[in-house]
Amino acid sequence: MSNFTLADLEAIVASRAQAEPSQSWTAKLVAGGQGKAAKKLGEEAIEAVMAAVKDDHENLVYESADLLYHLMVVLKIADIPLQAVMQELERRTAQTGLSEKASRQDP
């Protein structure tokens, strides 16, 4: 079992974002700006959905890793720490998903 965490990935993304774009895919994405990084995140999301629909477990694992990585890059560019996302998830899990969703709906 791996001890690798999303916090580890966040740290790696932060470190690689400081590299020269010619030396790092992460730095290249960051240099390209949020539009480029968000587009890539969207592409990876679609690929993960396609793998899920096809019930292709191996490819779903691969695409999920790509999706998480590109999400971390988008968060980095937006200067949103992973901890902010984790706090939001924690807040949401204080109630059932159906209750949380109902609380967001317009009256």
Side-chain angles (χ1 to χ4, degrees):
M1 187 72 173
S2 173
N3 291 326
F4 190 78
T5 67
L6 287 177
D8 295 332
L9 180 58
E10 178 182 43
I12 291 167
V13 166
S15 173
R16 292 183 182 171
Q18 301 303 311
E20 288 296 319
S22 63
Q23 302 297 312
S24 166
W25 172 245
T26 302
K28 188 173 184 173
L29 280 173
V30 170
Q34 192 63 285
K36 179 178 181 170
K39 180 181 177 201
K40 190 63 180 165
L41 175 64
E43 291 170 4
E44 298 302 340
I46 291 167
E47 291 171 0
V49 168
M50 290 170 40
V53 168
K54 292 178 183 175
D55 204 25
D56 182 347
H57 292 220
E58 183 177 337
N59 201 33
L60 181 54
V61 168
Y62 181 86
E63 296 302 341
S64 294
D66 281 350
L67 181 60
L68 290 172
Y69 162 76
H70 285 90
L71 175 59
M72 296 307 298
V73 172
V74 165
L75 291 173
K76 170 67 177 156
I77 294 169
D79 198 29
I80 296 173
L82 175 61
Q83 187 59 35
V85 177
M86 300 310 289
Q87 287 171 343
E88 176 61 15
L89 285 170
E90 182 178 29
R91 184 192 68 76
R92 290 181 185 192
T93 58
Q95 57 185 329
T96 69
L98 294 176
S99 296
E100 192 279 329
K101 187 173 175 90
S103 73
R104 290 188 281 146
Q105 294 178 353
D106 293 328

